[in-house]
Amino acid sequence: MTTPPPFPDSTPILPINGRNLAYAAHLLRAGGLVAFPTETVYGLGCDATNGAAVARLYAAKGRPHFNPLISHVPTVEAAFRIGKPTPLARLLAENFWPGPLTLVLERQPDCPVADLATAGLDSVAVRVPARDDARDFLAAIGRPVAAPSANASGQISPTDAEAVKASLDGRISLILDGGATAVGLESTILDARGETPVLLRPGGVSLEEIASVTGPITRPAKVDQQAPDAPGMLTSHYAPCKPVRLNATEVSEDEALLAFGKPLSGAAAVENLSRDGDLIEAAANLFRLLRLLDRTETARIAVMPIPDTGLGHAINDRLTRAAAPR
Ligand code: AMP
Ligand code: MG
């Protein structure tokens, strides 16, 4: 892993202008975390193609679980380079992009977005934000930018630079200040993989506006759209097909081992989340290695204990779900 720029003790706030955009883009490409305004709320951006940067973003927010993040891009063309366009997606893009609408699409085969940014799913969520300065920033970066709201987990989404600083000071590289955001609501999220749009989260573009273009919208029946925890719950999370056994302190020869630190010996196959016991590296590797082990000819996946501190909470949350009987 390359060394990312260190986080300053006091995170600077710089006005969002041409020169500062170039500097911010450089920080972000080097693996840093940069908060920037979009028309909805301030996003905390990182290079979506860099798994370790995504892991640091989760650590900075203190999120107790991994949920898929939205990849932000400057143009419709860039969006469809990472997600496969359907006729519905093209129609929605024509009418609502740039704007506060996120589309969930199938990943393109060569989609560079890191597994951790999509929480291991085969789909990818993409958005082209409306603000010109936000799109200039994304264009300067030249890679998809994962950007959940720029606040610590459990706090409300920030609509100005001072609110970002109050929530994440010292935990991120830089805050680009573009004044108060216009919409103040998060983006509407639609699954656009089929023929009719499926509502995953209401937001900045109203359902009436969407329906006037696409016809009826499907709403998944059993989700409570108002529950604070709902966004993460709306997706069927990636889980391996094989049974998963946690906190393994020994391993048998019909098992595939997901190691952390010094690996146990005796397994049929071994992948190591992090030899050095680094939780950032482990988070960045989690979904890819689970998939690899899931494809081995073994009875189950045994997972070595992972400390329940920092990012370890989110890693253990995901592994515990993977181990739950289905
Ligand atoms: P936000 O908190 O605004 O960054 O939005 C993240 C939310 O987008 C997630 O919690 C999901 O509800 C949704 N999302 C992102 N990626 C996907 C995906 N691949 N499939 C379904 N929903 C997604
Ligand atoms: Mg949020």
Side-chain angles (χ1 to χ4, degrees):
M1 288 194 296
T2 53
T3 314
F7 299 135
D9 290 338
S10 169
T11 302
I13 300 182
L14 295 177
I16 185 162
N17 60 30
R19 198 169 63 136
N20 293 336
L21 281 187
Y23 169 59
H26 159 79
L27 283 179
L28 197 140
R29 288 174 64 98
L33 305 178
V34 177
F36 66 103
T38 75
E39 77 279 21
T40 58
V41 299
Y42 273 70
L44 180 58
C46 76
D47 178 353
T49 70
N50 176 343
V54 179
R56 283 191 292 274
L57 186 148
Y58 277 106
K61 282 185 61 100
R63 267 211 188 152
H65 53 255
F66 297 126
N67 60 333
L69 304 176
I70 298 169
S71 287
H72 294 71
V73 291
T75 62
V76 175
E77 295 70 42
F80 291 153
R81 274 200 294 276
I82 63 174
K84 279 190 194 163
T86 54
L88 172 65
R90 287 189 198 282
L91 179 69
L92 289 163
E94 238 164 67
N95 283 276
F96 299 109
W97 276 350
L101 177 69
T102 295
L103 300 182
V104 170
L105 303 171
E106 208 180 303
R107 285 174 79 113
Q108 289 283 16
D110 57 354
C111 170
V113 174
D115 260 343
L116 188 59
T118 61
L121 298 172
D122 300 325
S123 54
V124 62
V126 281
R127 178 162 103 81
V128 181
R131 282 181 70 132
D132 292 342
D133 49 12
R135 287 203 312 284
D136 289 345
F137 180 46
L138 297 171
I141 294 157
R143 299 177 192 161
V145 170
S149 57
N151 55 277
S153 179
Q155 300 183 354
I156 58 168
S157 300
T159 54
D160 61 40
E162 286 67 34
V164 177
K165 182 149 169 105
S167 189
L168 293 172
D169 198 21
R171 309 180 72 169
I172 64 177
S173 318
L174 177 69
I175 300 165
L176 287 172
D177 187 352
T181 58
V183 180
L185 266 182
E186 273 143 328
S187 62
T188 302
I189 306 180
L190 295 178
D191 184 339
R193 286 173 291 181
E195 282 176 15
T196 48
V198 179
L199 179 70
L200 298 181
R201 178 179 79 188
V205 179
S206 76
L207 300 188
E208 291 77 8
E209 286 174 272
I210 295 164
S212 74
V213 168
T214 64
I217 300 171
T218 309
R219 309 179 70 133
K222 55 184 182 352
V223 255
D224 176 6
Q225 302 290 348
Q226 302 311 318
D229 235 24
M233 310 284 101
L234 291 170
T235 45
S236 59
H237 282 297
Y238 167 75
C241 307
K242 280 190 204 306
V244 173
R245 179 168 78 84
L246 300 180
N247 294 315
T249 51
E250 54 191 49
V251 69
S252 63
E253 56 191 24
D254 63 344
E255 290 182 317
L257 179 68
L258 186 62
F260 181 80
K262 185 173 180 292
L264 299 167
S265 55
V270 182
E271 294 293 345
N272 207 324
L273 286 169
S274 170
R275 237 160 233 290
D276 302 334
D278 177 340
L279 289 167
I280 298 275
E281 185 183 12
N285 284 330
L286 178 64
F287 291 101
R288 183 175 58 85
L289 298 186
L290 273 177
R291 275 180 203 281
L292 278 180
L293 293 178
D294 207 21
R295 287 201 290 263
T296 59
E297 286 184 21
T298 50
R300 73 193 74 78
I301 300 173
V303 184
M304 288 175 63
I306 293 161
D308 217 19
T309 56
L311 269 187
H313 291 301
I315 297 174
N316 284 322
D317 168 78
R318 177 41 38 97
L319 288 168
T320 304
R321 289 171 202 242
R326 289 189 293 276

